Amino acid sequence: ARVISHALEELIQKSENVIIMGHLNGDIDSLGSSLGIYRFTKTLEKDAYIINNTNGLALENFVENLKDEGYNDVILDRTQAINMITPNSLLVVVDTHKKSYVEVPELLEKTEKIVVIDHHRKSEDYIENAILTFHEAYASSAAELVTEIIEYATNEVTLEQIEAESLYAGVMMDTKNFTFKTGVRTFEAAAYLRKYGIDIIKVKKWFQSDLESYSVIVDI
């Protein structure tokens, strides 16, 4: 994670801007990870944008909350993303490594500078031309991996409250409230994020329907 973090910093500094893309019908792990990379990039004083072209129903309230908190100009749809990316852009793909499952597949052909951060088991449809890959199937979530990248940054990254809460929610959701696929590093990432004073009730309200399908949320 330390090596990846430092390599990503170098790539960002050499790029014109950073476009962050998750998977189709994005979930909180995808968007939370995107927000983490967004803040990582802004710390290096580079422009960064997040693609949110499609998302599951559970994300609608969260996306609206993001816009209310000033992220409206950060979030791009498909057309805006295609117009924004250049050959010298850095494209960071989070929470998927499948070419056919990203939000805007066309972007994969518009830049040679692609980073992949994912925790799913590798498939045949993987992005072959990534110049940096952080692909760890042991991890609970992409949010866990992004939190590690933030922790090991050379330049100290200070997350906004909503960014920390979205990363925490990503870990929480993908582990079914810390009961599935958790390891020492999962809890270390969660502990790091809790230092920001995570509002568990707010997180629960964002994703009420999903959380009810898993279990009653318990503050750890």
Side-chain angles (χ1 to χ4, degrees):
R2 187 187 304 275
V3 171
I4 293 291
S5 181
H6 295 177
L8 181 57
E9 282 180 315
E10 186 175 342
L11 287 171
I12 290 170
Q13 288 168 335
K14 292 179 178 179
S15 300
E16 180 179 343
N17 57 26
V18 177
I19 310 296
I20 307 157
M21 174 168 64
H23 54 74
L24 288 169
N25 299 317
D27 55 20
I28 187 52
D29 189 27
S30 175
L31 190 50
S33 300
S34 296
L35 283 164
I37 295 299
Y38 167 79
R39 182 54 54 195
F40 186 90
T41 303
K42 294 300 287 184
T43 300
L44 298 171
E45 299 182 345
K46 288 286 187 174
D47 290 335
Y49 305 92
I50 297 169
I51 301 171
N52 181 238
N53 199 53
T54 64
N55 53 256
L57 292 176
L59 268 192
E60 288 182 358
N61 290 338
F62 179 70
V63 172
E64 287 304 312
N65 197 247
L66 270 181
K67 293 178 178 178
D68 291 341
E69 295 207 17
Y71 291 82
N72 196 48
D73 293 337
V74 172
I75 298 171
L76 306 179
D77 61 22
R78 177 183 175 279
T79 301
Q80 290 172 318
I82 290 173
N83 290 335
M84 190 70 70
I85 199 164
T86 73
N88 194 34
S89 293
L90 181 66
L91 178 63
V92 181
V93 177
V94 297
D95 202 29
T96 186
H97 62 278
K98 297 181 181 181
K99 291 181 287 188
S100 60
Y101 196 41
V102 296
E103 281 268 37
V104 187
E106 299 96 309
L107 297 187
L108 298 173
E109 308 300 324
K110 290 187 173 290
T111 178
E112 295 182 355
K113 300 168 68 174
I114 301 172
V115 173
V116 175
I117 302 169
D118 190 28
H119 68 111
H120 297 99
R121 188 175 299 174
K122 192 170 184 179
S123 69
E124 294 181 1
D125 185 33
Y126 67 94
I127 298 168
E128 299 174 353
N129 57 329
I131 58 175
L132 180 66
T133 299
F134 192 22
H135 192 170
E136 300 287 355
Y138 75 82
S140 67
S141 54
E144 176 184 329
L145 297 176
V146 169
T147 300
E148 289 187 339
I149 288 172
I150 290 168
E151 287 187 83
Y152 287 118
T154 303
N155 297 273
E156 184 177 354
V157 178
T158 301
L159 295 166
E160 295 295 328
Q161 182 78 15
I162 196 169
E163 295 163 355
E165 287 172 343
S166 66
L167 281 165
Y168 187 86
V171 176
M172 186 189 69
M173 199 69 68
D174 273 23
T175 60
K176 300 182 181 180
N177 200 26
F178 300 95
T179 62
F180 172 74
K181 204 178 181 182
T182 54
V184 172
R185 289 168 68 170
T186 309
F187 288 108
E188 287 176 346
Y192 172 83
L193 294 169
R194 286 303 299 269
K195 293 177 183 178
Y196 285 92
I198 303 297
D199 186 339
I200 296 294
I201 301 303
K202 185 200 296 183
V203 173
K204 181 178 180 180
K205 288 179 179 177
W206 281 338
F207 310 107
Q208 188 73 41
S209 59
D210 281 0
L211 289 171
E212 286 175 352
S213 70
Y214 286 148
S215 60
V216 176
I217 192 166
V218 177
D219 192 359
I220 67 166

